[in-house]
Amino acid sequence: MPKVLSGAGLRGQSAGETALCTVGKAAAGLTYRGYDIDVLADQASFEEIAYLLLYGNLPNRSELTAYEEKLMGLRALPEPLKAVLEQVPKDTHPMDVMRTGCSFLGNLEPENSMADQHQVADRLVATLPAMVLYWYRFSHDGVRIDTHNPHVPSLAGHFLTMLHDKAPNALHTQVMNASLILYAEHEFNASTFTARVCASTLSDMHSCITGGIGSLRGPLHGGANEAAMDMIEPWKSADEAEAALLQKLANKEKIMGFGHAIYSERDPRNEIIKKWAKKLSEEAGDDHLYAVSERCEAVMWREKKLFCNADFFHASAYRFMGIPTPLFTPIFVCSRVTGWAAHVMEQRANNRIIRPSADYTGPDHAEWIAIDNRK
Ligand SMILES: CC(=O)SCCNC(=O)CCNC(=O)[C@H](O)C(C)(C)COP(=O)(O)OP(=O)(O)OC[C@H]1O[C@@H](n2cnc3c(N)ncnc32)[C@H](O)[C@@H]1OP(=O)(O)O
Ligand SMILES: O=C([O-])CC(=O)C(=O)O
């Protein structure tokens, strides 16, 4: 059954048109430009999805090879950007680092003309992983990593190689690739809408993407994958998880990684990432984290009819690949930048400034009081 969409948060109101994505059609589905997410996550590479979203069609083999080579050629960070990243304190949240990095790249390489929008978008796709990991490895390990990785064509492998200083195994590359596909696009979610509002003023791509990063950061949106990990990490058994979760529900707490603004019964991305989390759990010899996650899923459905969204099983999947929690939402950025940029281009192609109205709730008329007469 489709979710009843009404009330606050602009729920259920159409705020524009898109040819990029459908969410929640027949209560569950997700498509990118008409292609089903199950097929894409199983068959495609993230680079194919980036191309599909940004250029409008699936690339043929030679287009894909050329696109992969283009992205690899755009990976290097400018020296002044590295210098800025080296100034950012170690205890900064990596999402704030990405926000700064994206904005500063816009200072160094401004989008002077909208004719450059594809070049600017590709440059961001290629450099955002390097920005966050250059800073992370410098501030945490004291090393200046090489962000080229010419022998690692996939962004999935590139990210894990920069993080761990060695090439990932095939399973980790495959899961990371699927994860990047799952997170790439989701219609008019909060961060994409932020980017589109910014685009509607005819602002530049870096401003739109920087705004998107700021919106994604919150725990009700992309930040939920980190918040879910923080919640489940202390629980050492499924029984402990169930007891703690019931207590949270009794306290009327929000449980991160559950529920959705549009989907009513399931998030189609959950089954996919859950399957990979199980595989990774077996590979890692995990004896409780996957079981804890599964129990949370069962308890939330039993107690509240709330289901896992895309973020919940991403938490354990990323942990099994040795990814530190504060880098979870930044990975979402590395993926969603493709959706954001595609929406910016779509908004620009048929633009009217986005400017809704408000229902005024203040006083009808207030009499001016001279400053010396105020209480
Ligand atoms: C990739 C993504 O961004 S997916 C979303 C990631 N965010 C999270 O996981 C954060 C936790 N989830 C939530 O806060 C919400 O479910 C949201 C923000 C995703 C959607 O919000 P809404 O559309 O307002 O939720 P919805 O209308 O379905 O809420 C219905 C009821 O369920 C409750 N509810 C919804 N989600 C949760 C949850 N995760 N834990 C506890 N209760 C919840 C709401 O509080 C509301 O109760 P009420 O009627 O007593 O106020
Ligand atoms: O659509 C939403 O509201 C949030 C979401 O799942 C996403 O952005 O991937």
Side-chain angles (χ1 to χ4, degrees):
M1 233 196 10
K3 190 165 173 173
V4 178
L5 296 171
S6 62
L10 295 179
R11 202 70 81 257
Q13 299 180 35
S14 173
E17 295 181 340
T18 184
L20 287 161
C21 180
T22 64
V23 172
K25 279 258 169 79
L30 170 59
T31 63
Y32 298 170
R33 291 199 188 275
Y35 296 97
D36 196 274
I37 193 64
D38 293 319
V39 178
L40 297 179
D42 194 44
Q43 302 288 326
S45 70
F46 173 67
E47 288 69 21
E48 276 177 287
I49 299 305
Y51 191 99
L52 172 69
L53 292 171
L54 293 169
Y55 292 90
N57 57 279
L58 284 173
N60 63 28
R61 192 168 291 283
S62 66
E63 285 168 336
L64 180 60
T65 304
Y67 189 53
E68 286 169 352
E69 281 169 5
K70 179 182 184 192
L71 291 179
M72 279 196 280
L74 290 172
R75 282 177 182 170
L77 299 180
E79 289 303 322
L81 175 52
K82 290 187 192 170
V84 164
L85 293 170
E86 290 183 15
Q87 305 297 309
V88 181
K90 180 181 175 179
D91 60 359
T92 303
H93 193 285
M95 286 296 279
D96 299 346
V97 178
M98 297 195 98
R99 194 187 60 213
T100 296
C102 180
S103 178
F104 193 66
L105 189 68
N107 295 161
L108 299 174
E109 302 172 7
E111 186 191 29
N112 291 320
S113 154
M114 285 184 199
D116 299 336
Q117 63 183 356
H118 283 95
Q119 183 61 23
V120 173
D122 288 340
R123 177 81 165 130
L124 283 167
V125 173
T127 51
L128 281 166
M131 284 182 209
V132 68
L133 288 172
Y134 183 87
W135 164 79
Y136 188 84
R137 297 293 314 282
F138 181 80
S139 62
H140 288 68
D141 303 332
V143 294
R144 292 186 167 92
I145 56 166
D146 179 1
T147 65
H148 291 89
N149 274 328
H151 306 299
V152 188
S154 74
L155 196 139
H158 177 48
F159 187 97
L160 292 172
T161 304
M162 287 190 288
L163 177 61
H164 294 313
D165 244 349
K166 61 175 189 310
N169 67 27
L171 175 63
H172 291 196
T173 308
Q174 197 177 4
V175 177
M176 195 66 179
N177 182 66
S179 164
L180 291 168
I181 292 172
L182 294 179
Y183 271 148
E185 165 53 13
H186 219 243
E187 201 224 31
F188 277 28
N189 61 84
S191 56
T192 299
F193 195 57
T194 303
R196 282 191 82 126
V197 170
C198 190
S200 83
T201 71
L202 303 184
S203 189
D204 67 297
M205 183 68 83
H206 297 93
S207 296
C208 299
I209 303 302
T210 303
I213 294 170
S215 283
L216 189 71
R217 184 188 191 292
L220 296 188
H221 192 11
N225 55 14
E226 295 180 18
M229 191 68 226
D230 291 341
M231 180 181 74
I232 61 178
E233 193 145 47
W235 298 337
K236 298 299 174 219
S237 74
D239 287 346
E240 185 185 342
E242 175 157 356
L245 201 51
L246 289 172
Q247 189 56 54
K248 282 179 178 293
L249 291 175
N251 298 343
K252 306 239 170 295
E253 287 179 39
K254 270 252 155 89
I255 310 302
M256 296 303 164
F258 286 87
H260 200 272
I262 305 294
Y263 297 123
S264 62
E265 287 161 11
R266 56 183 272 270
D267 180 333
R269 300 167 294 184
N270 177 52
E271 280 120 87
I272 302 170
I273 195 61
K274 182 182 172 188
K275 181 193 79 179
W276 286 120
K278 186 168 195 308
K279 243 197 164 64
L280 289 167
S281 149
E282 287 157 8
E283 186 218 30
D286 155 59
D287 61 3
H288 70 283
L289 190 58
Y290 183 79
V292 161
S293 306
E294 261 201 322
R295 182 70 70 85
C296 292
E297 183 178 35
V299 171
M300 288 298 285
W301 186 253
R302 186 188 74 212
E303 299 292 322
K304 303 283 285 184
K305 291 287 170 284
L306 282 168
F307 52 90
C308 297
N309 58 46
D311 283 327
F312 190 70
F313 276 93
H314 260 108
S316 52
Y318 286 166
R319 172 60 81 254
F320 296 138
M321 292 192 285
I323 299 171
T325 305
L327 293 177
F328 289 4
T329 318
I331 299 173
F332 199 154
V333 172
C334 295
S335 160
R336 185 57 62 87
V337 62
T338 56
W340 289 332
H343 275 275
V344 169
M345 294 175 193
E346 192 178 54
Q347 180 67 34
R348 287 172 170 180
N350 183 19
N351 188 52
R352 189 172 189 199
I353 189 167
I354 298 174
R355 199 304 187 189
S357 302
D359 297 321
Y360 179 65
T361 60
D364 275 345
H365 175 73
E367 285 296 335
W368 171 254
I369 305 167
I371 192 161
D372 292 332
N373 297 338
R374 290 175 208 161
K375 283 190 223 144

